Amino acid sequence: MADWSGLAFAAGAGLVGGAMNSLAGGGTFATMPTLIALGLPSPIANATSNVALQPGAIASAWAYRDGLEPMSGISVRKLSAIAFAGGLAGSLLLVATPTHVFDLVIPWLLLLATIALAFGRRASGLLRARFSIGPRTLIGAQILLGIYGGYFGGGVGLMMTATWGLLAGSEPHRLAAPRTLMLAMANAAAALIFILAGMVRWIFCLPMLIGAILGGYFGARLGRVLPPAAIRIWTLLVTAVTTAVFFWRAYS
């Protein structure tokens, strides 16, 4: 049984993670390391973090529902089904991954997410200026993004923005609605598998979930007054430090 300090720690991490997701993404960088620090094995921590952040993802998808539209002729319903299937595959892959293997893989996933947070939008603009890729590739890319989202998911929102900007030729401001929905679909599929597999530690998940809801609300309000540069610097600082710690933990 967790003590009150552990529950408060989980709730605080949810508050920070929910706020990060609301401001710029990367909430997993706050929630998953906290759960590992509380003694959970890394796959269990990842699954618990996913479920704790899921209500915020659903609420965001609902808020953006009026902005949904097809991309490159592919319907939102079809893309949602692809994201859900990818999330199922990714989460099943996590269930089958031994803890010691995931401990070695996760620093590289964190590094990939950090790179996406730092350079995703800029890379998307540079690639779009030089390449044009047909919409058929969008389906394959969405499958891979769904699998990544179900397996880990850190930084996947910005990966989607960068990928869709390149493959579908869409402007970033028009991608918020479909991106949020695809994230919610992939995460919902993963949450279903994690719950059925018994990988969620509810004693920490519930306070973290409540904290994430509050963090998402106050983060959105804070985002209206904070300079974008300050939000970006804070997000990148958290992700970079977390990535460095996990490399040290896995390979030292």
Side-chain angles (χ1 to χ4, degrees):
M1 180 66 68
D3 58 23
W4 286 106
S5 62
L7 299 180
F9 195 26
L15 189 72
V16 175
M20 288 179 66
N21 276 346
S22 177
L23 291 168
T28 302
F29 282 84
T31 54
M32 192 190 67
T34 298
L35 291 168
I36 291 175
L38 288 170
L40 299 187
S42 54
I44 301 298
N46 188 43
T48 302
S49 170
N50 174 288
V51 174
L53 294 175
Q54 179 62 12
I58 294 173
S60 296
W62 178 257
Y64 277 120
R65 65 191 184 279
D66 292 336
L68 293 172
E69 58 185 29
M71 287 192 298
S72 296
I74 304 173
S75 70
V76 171
R77 181 174 296 181
K78 186 173 184 178
L79 285 172
S80 298
I82 293 170
F84 190 86
L88 286 176
S91 57
L92 288 171
L93 182 61
L94 178 66
V95 172
T97 302
T99 298
H100 70 278
V101 174
F102 191 67
D103 284 339
L104 296 176
V105 170
I106 198 169
W108 299 98
L109 297 176
L110 290 170
L111 179 61
L112 180 62
T114 301
I115 292 171
L117 288 168
F119 303 110
R121 291 175 182 172
R122 182 179 301 177
S124 176
L126 292 173
L127 289 171
R128 283 179 58 200
R130 292 166 173 80
F131 300 98
S132 177
I133 302 176
R136 293 181 181 179
T137 313
L138 187 64
I139 294 177
Q142 187 56 50
I143 292 172
L144 294 176
L145 288 167
I147 293 172
Y148 175 82
Y151 189 77
F152 175 60
V156 69
L158 281 177
M159 292 179 191
M160 285 186 179
T161 298
T163 302
W164 291 349
L166 173 62
L167 301 184
S170 301
E171 296 297 330
H173 69 276
R174 302 188 64 181
L175 296 175
R179 180 194 67 219
T180 306
L181 177 61
M182 299 312 132
L183 287 172
M185 294 301 293
N187 288 341
L192 177 64
I193 295 299
F194 295 151
I195 291 171
L196 291 176
M199 294 180 68
V200 180
R201 295 299 179 264
W202 294 104
I203 189 68
F204 293 125
C205 183
L206 292 178
M208 182 170 281
L209 185 152
I210 294 170
I213 293 173
L214 293 174
Y217 174 77
F218 288 110
R221 294 178 65 88
L222 192 62
R224 297 177 181 177
V225 298
L226 284 178
I231 295 172
R232 181 173 176 79
I233 290 171
W234 163 254
T235 303
L236 289 176
L237 179 63
V238 171
T239 57
V241 170
T242 304
T243 300
V245 169
F246 271 82
F247 267 106
W248 177 84
R249 176 176 175 268
Y251 294 101
S252 64

